[in-house]
Amino acid sequence: MPFPKGFLWGGAVAAHQLEGGWKEGGKGISVADVMTVGGPGKPREITDGVLPGKVYPNHDAIDFYHRYKEDIALLAEMGFKCFRTSIAWTRIFPNGDETEPNEEGLKFYDDLFDTMHAYGMEPVITLSHFEMPYHLVTEYGGWRNRKLVDFFVRFAVTVFKRYKDKVKYWMTFNEINNQRDVDTPFTAFTNSGVLYQPGEDRHEVLYQVAHHEFLASAKAVIEGHKINPDFQIGCMMAMSPVYPETCKPMDQIAALKEMDKTFYFADVQCRGHYPSYILKEWENKGYHIKMEPDDLAVLEQGCVDYFALSYYMSFVRAYDEQTDSFKEVPNPFVKASDWGWQIDPVGLRYMLDVLAERYELPMMIVENGIGLHEQPDETGLVQDDERINYFAAHIAEMKKAIELDGVTLMGYCPWGPIDLVSASTGEMEKRYGFIYVDKNNKGEGTLSRKPKKSFYWYKKVIASNGEDL
Ligand code: P53
């Protein structure tokens, strides 16, 4: 039996991608509320506040805010042992800089967690998942500003205290390493509420921003353990292995350097200090990252308890001799989804093994899945064999990582068990769910929920503790 007893089979979502109710219960405007719908080849627009005539898909999303009882009941029918969601910061501190929390927001998550527990479902909670208060962007410049550390810690401590007997598993920042890509506005804005300004060195800004987030995360870990020593507080990384294109020595360096952009985030959060390759880069580029005297000690003390990761795809890098630079190239050995995400189940085993060897921490896969274009057939059923095959192949590799390679895995939460708003494109029609939601990219539909074929398949997987794929 590769999967231990008590293995956390479940699914994962984020508040802004499914709740809707963007102005209800005293909620403030978040960064997700000023992002329009995009599509393949059409990036989401980040608007200057909420503008008339634009479509903002997160405002209503799939109305989980009002329908969570019905939705949790459906997830329970699949046998979910856990459910990962985030607490919308803006429901608790609508502007982010208040001193007192919003009771109505706290009450909402009390009810949500109680509903989960009624079905024996363990909440797995992200503190910041692409949904920080927009006020912190306009008034403070997002995480560029060190004041955000205290605002975040106040938010974290508030919810830690409130839910100390209801939530055991926490994560601080979702996919904190997404912002390694400084070329698109999306990552800096969703991760950190940062809009790069013309002429500034984006990497230097990124390192300052991330330093504030590392501090906030470490302080949250330290404070969280005081509130409940049983808390398990993790980091959360988007992990995509990067392979060298060939066995040419410089291709190895190309792949390694790309992986380091991600490892840097994990190294600080898991090992408690900056790795030497980053310190050298700062020195070589003349970067000055502002720190206060105690910061490094805080990082050292605030190491995470476990490693949470999302896994969707892998990449390939090559060294380009002509330009003496590194570049991304497609992988001819794997297929890609309609959105160009390269499907690679073996990459999951590879990634888990590398992380286990590097950090020696228990791990939780808190996202994995495939976005598909889907239509119900004439009987109303979505026949999503492609999704079933995707998951079966990934779970089989997970099993090998545990059984053959000795990886410690706490749980598995496929992304978007119920169709929801895509983070990168804002589409409803990039569907991940075991449950179909009747809503399209224009926002039309009845919002009715219906299990897809994969719903019954995943139920069987959970019931057999991963044996029956
Ligand atoms: P969507 C990029 C690369 C890997 C994961 O993504 C990513 C992203 C940014 O979108 O995000 C995570 O909806 C993220 C979720 C997101 C999910 O992957 O763009 O944590 O919020 O929905 C899937 O297809």
Side-chain angles (χ1 to χ4, degrees), residues 31-49:
V31 291
D33 292 323
V34 300
M35 295 180 67
T36 65
V37 66
K42 183 177 171 247
R44 301 183 73 173
E45 195 188 336
I46 299 164
T47 57
D48 192 8

Side-chain angles (χ1 to χ4, degrees), residues 12-14 16-17 44 84 129-130 174-175 178 180 186-187 190 236 238-240 310-313 315 339 341 366-371 415-416 420-427 430-432:
V13 300
H16 69 109
Q17 288 173 265
R44 301 183 73 173
R84 173 184 179 228
H129 190 138
F130 303 172
N174 182 64
E175 294 188 339
N178 261 12
R180 71 189 181 281
F186 173 84
T187 56
T190 51
M236 195 307 200
M239 293 308 310
S240 305
S310 66
Y311 179 81
Y312 291 93
M313 58 193 144
F315 293 102
W339 284 266
W341 293 22
V366 296
E367 289 184 31
N368 174 228
I370 181 163
W415 176 251
L420 37 59
V421 176
S422 156
S424 58
T425 71
E427 292 167 288
K430 187 180 186 190
R431 298 178 182 277
Y432 284 89

Side-chain angles (χ1 to χ4, degrees), residues 87-368:
I87 295 177
W89 189 344
T90 48
R91 290 202 186 281
I92 313 302
F93 290 99
N95 283 330
D97 58 358
E98 298 90 342
T99 48
E100 293 306 315
N102 169 34
E103 176 55 32
E104 216 178 331
L106 288 167
K107 176 80 173 55
F108 171 71
Y109 291 104
D110 262 321
D111 293 345
L112 176 60
F113 301 152
D114 290 345
T115 307
M116 290 184 208
H117 281 300
Y119 293 103
M121 229 181 260
E122 192 72 44
V124 177
I125 302 302
T126 320
L127 291 171
S128 178
H129 190 138
F130 303 172
E131 60 208 329
M132 59 184 283
Y134 185 57
H135 177 78
L136 297 181
V137 177
T138 54
E139 298 305 308
Y140 298 89
W143 280 93
R144 292 170 186 272
N145 193 323
R146 193 176 164 109
K147 288 193 179 133
L148 276 269
V149 176
D150 290 341
F151 298 148
F152 178 85
V153 174
R154 185 181 298 151
F155 162 58
V157 166
T158 302
V159 296
F160 284 161
K161 284 189 178 155
R162 177 81 170 214
Y163 309 121
K164 74 177 168 46
D165 301 318
K166 295 186 186 183
V167 178
K168 176 178 173 186
Y169 299 99
W170 301 89
M171 278 157 269
T172 52
F173 292 93
N174 182 64
E175 294 188 339
I176 190 169
N177 63 318
N178 261 12
Q179 52 197 330
R180 71 189 181 281
D181 167 13
V182 296
D183 296 330
T184 59
F186 173 84
T187 56
F189 191 67
T190 51
N191 271 140
S192 308
V194 165
L195 294 161
Y196 290 126
Q197 301 304 312
E200 68 186 354
D201 185 322
R202 293 182 175 195
H203 286 106
E204 187 168 23
V205 175
L206 163 69
Y207 288 126
Q208 186 65 62
V209 162
H211 179 68
H212 294 150
E213 291 173 344
F214 293 148
L215 266 185
S217 175
K219 287 186 179 198
V221 171
I222 294 165
E223 294 306 314
H225 288 152
K226 286 187 207 156
I227 293 163
N228 184 346
D230 290 337
F231 276 175
Q232 294 289 304
I233 309 173
C235 59
M236 195 307 200
M237 306 284 155
M239 293 308 310
S240 305
V242 181
Y243 306 133
E245 186 186 28
T246 72
C247 51
K248 278 190 231 157
M250 277 307 283
D251 283 352
Q252 317 312 308
I253 301 295
L256 178 75
K257 285 291 154 203
E258 191 61 20
M259 279 313 292
D260 281 351
K261 289 185 191 165
T262 276
F263 281 140
Y264 134 72
F265 291 91
D267 288 351
V268 177
Q269 293 194 284
C270 299
R271 294 169 163 168
H273 55 260
Y274 280 99
S276 51
Y277 55 89
I278 287 297
L279 298 175
K280 187 51 85 177
E281 181 187 337
W282 293 356
E283 185 189 320
N284 289 342
K285 291 187 175 165
Y287 288 170
H288 295 289
I289 308 306
K290 292 186 213 83
M291 295 189 193
E292 288 183 11
D294 284 349
D295 287 4
L296 295 180
V298 170
L299 297 183
E300 194 77 51
Q301 282 167 39
C303 290
V304 294
D305 299 312
Y306 72 101
F307 195 111
L309 65 141
S310 66
Y311 179 81
Y312 291 93
M313 58 193 144
S314 61
F315 293 102
V316 178
R317 300 288 281 191
Y319 173 64
D320 185 356
E321 276 174 46
Q322 251 107 57
T323 57
D324 187 27
S325 63
F326 303 134
K327 62 178 182 194
E328 191 184 326
V329 292
N331 186 340
F333 302 102
V334 303
K335 289 204 180 82
S337 78
D338 286 355
W339 284 266
W341 293 22
Q342 299 183 128
I343 304 158
D344 176 14
V346 176
L348 175 57
R349 174 183 174 190
Y350 173 77
M351 204 67 260
L352 289 172
D353 290 358
V354 167
L355 294 173
E357 292 171 17
R358 191 173 180 115
Y359 300 115
E360 301 184 318
L361 285 173
M363 286 185 275
M364 189 168 346
I365 298 171
V366 296
E367 289 184 31
N368 174 228

